[in-house]
Amino acid sequence: MIYASGQEWRDASQRRVVLFGMSGLGKTYLASMLREQGNWFHYSVDYRIGTRYMGEYISDNLKLAAMKVPLLRELLLTDSVCVSSKISFDNLAPLSTYLGKPGSPSRGGLPFDDYCERQDQHRTAEIASLMDTDRFIRRAFDIYGINSFVCDTGGSICEVVDPDDPDDPVLSALARGLLLVWIKGSDEHTAELVRRFDRAPKPMYYQPEFLDRAWISYRAEKGLTEDQVNPDDFIRWTYARALAHRQPRYAAMAQRGVTITAEEVQKVAHPGDFIDLIATAIDRKIA
């Protein structure tokens, strides 16, 4: 760890952290609070993916849909309108919509091969965005004079690294300059995330081997061909399994840093609380 003790963290002129864990446990809440109240630079990996690395894919997909509408087709061909996404830290819907869901086209699903191609695009983009972190640390200081930096990662970070490899290039690059912080959820949090997802299923990124197994197992269990799969039902079925798949990967990543709980995060109201919490987590890890 780049901080040898809680006191060293408190005294540091430059505080830099990577927040990771399941989506919905407070990563973006903490990062936004630190940005708004504490003069921290907030680097959102998902925002970087959707703008820098997948923005063209997303825009082209929107244009493809618009070209099916005669009025918009004419305007696009004469360069009379502009079609683009409007991604923000709090609204990643264009990225999620592009990733899509596999299954029956009549139900809004993608052919599985097309879905896997988009998943691979996301994997490449996520790795590149994570590797950009050091560059943004320098930009934060050189341009804005901001020393404190929080990297707000997506829930799928554990799918694009090898947590058990001490030489994993992404994790090694992150750990050299930042403190890795796992926000760990309880069984109750997991159950609530599953309920929330069931109400509004959304696209996700999955490790290729996991996704292949899930796709085969789901169709075998349900007795369905690929074009009979209900996209929402498949990702609901897959989601809880994905959370269980990710937990040990997060835990292995946390060996390089510290762990805080979602319950502890809920008590953080301002940057001072966060600094105290991370100091406690560092001392807890050392002990």
Side-chain angles (χ1 to χ4, degrees):
M1 296 189 299
I2 65 171
Y3 304 102
S5 67
Q7 191 59 49
E8 183 174 312
W9 155 262
R10 292 180 187 277
D11 295 339
S13 59
Q14 296 180 324
R15 299 189 183 98
R16 301 189 296 265
V17 298
V18 179
L19 303 177
F20 68 92
M22 292 187 297
S23 296
L25 294 183
K27 298 189 300 292
T28 300
Y29 160 72
L30 287 177
S32 298
M33 179 272 295
L34 292 170
R35 180 186 73 240
E36 293 166 3
Q37 300 183 34
N39 195 36
W40 286 59
F41 189 92
H42 175 186
Y43 177 60
S44 167
V45 171
D46 282 339
Y47 179 79
R48 180 72 169 166
I49 291 170
T51 53
R52 171 64 177 85
Y53 292 106
M54 294 189 70
E56 190 171 294
Y57 293 131
I58 294 168
S59 293
D60 285 352
N61 193 51
L62 294 174
K63 291 173 185 175
L64 184 62
M67 287 289 283
K68 297 175 183 178
V69 180
L71 174 61
L72 293 178
R73 176 185 174 85
E74 180 180 346
L75 292 171
L76 281 170
L77 288 174
T78 57
D79 201 25
S80 301
V81 296
C82 176
V83 178
S84 62
S85 67
K86 192 174 182 181
I87 290 179
S88 68
F89 285 7
D90 300 315
N91 180 13
L92 299 166
L95 175 59
S96 292
T97 299
Y98 175 74
L99 283 178
K101 310 166 189 177
S104 170
S106 65
R107 297 185 178 185
L110 289 169
F112 189 68
D113 287 345
D114 292 349
Y115 178 72
C116 288
E117 181 180 358
R118 297 186 185 192
Q119 289 272 302
D120 188 61
Q121 291 167 356
H122 189 282
R123 174 184 176 83
T124 300
E126 184 164 5
I127 291 172
S129 297
L130 288 165
M131 295 299 284
D132 282 345
T133 302
D134 185 62
R135 177 187 169 203
F136 273 83
I137 291 173
R138 296 195 302 272
R139 289 185 68 192
F141 181 76
D142 292 343
I143 298 175
Y144 306 106
I146 298 177
N147 280 323
S148 295
F149 185 96
V150 53
C151 176
D152 173 14
T153 69
S156 57
I157 183 175
C158 66
E159 307 281 21
V160 301
V161 301
D162 182 352
D164 297 318
D165 180 2
D167 298 318
D168 180 85
V170 176
L171 289 179
S172 296
L174 293 173
R176 278 195 296 269
L178 304 98
L179 177 67
L180 273 66
V181 179
W182 178 27
I183 302 179
K184 182 180 181 181
S186 64
D187 291 342
E188 289 75 17
H189 286 110
T190 300
E192 174 56 29
L193 292 177
V194 171
R195 285 192 294 270
R196 190 186 307 171
F197 190 89
D198 188 62
R199 291 193 297 269
K202 61 181 183 179
M204 286 179 58
Y205 172 78
Y206 302 101
Q207 188 184 49
E209 296 81 5
F210 171 85
L211 177 60
D212 285 341
R213 290 195 302 269
W215 184 244
I216 293 170
S217 298
Y218 172 84
R219 289 186 296 114
E221 179 180 309
K222 304 287 185 176
L224 300 174
T225 62
E226 291 194 7
D227 60 359
Q228 292 175 328
V229 171
N230 180 325
D232 282 345
D233 188 60
F234 170 71
I235 61 170
R236 283 190 179 102
W237 183 91
T238 305
Y239 183 70
R241 292 164 176 80
L243 295 186
H245 164 76
R246 289 179 175 182
Q247 282 299 103
R249 300 181 69 86
Y250 289 140
M253 289 173 60
Q255 295 301 310
R256 302 174 186 244
V258 299
T259 300
I260 59 178
T261 67
E263 289 86 356
E264 290 173 324
V265 169
Q266 290 172 356
K267 298 175 183 177
V268 174
H270 54 77
D273 293 339
F274 180 75
I275 291 170
D276 289 341
L277 175 56
I278 297 303
T280 298
I282 293 171
D283 288 337
R284 189 163 58 202
K285 175 68 175 287
I286 294 171

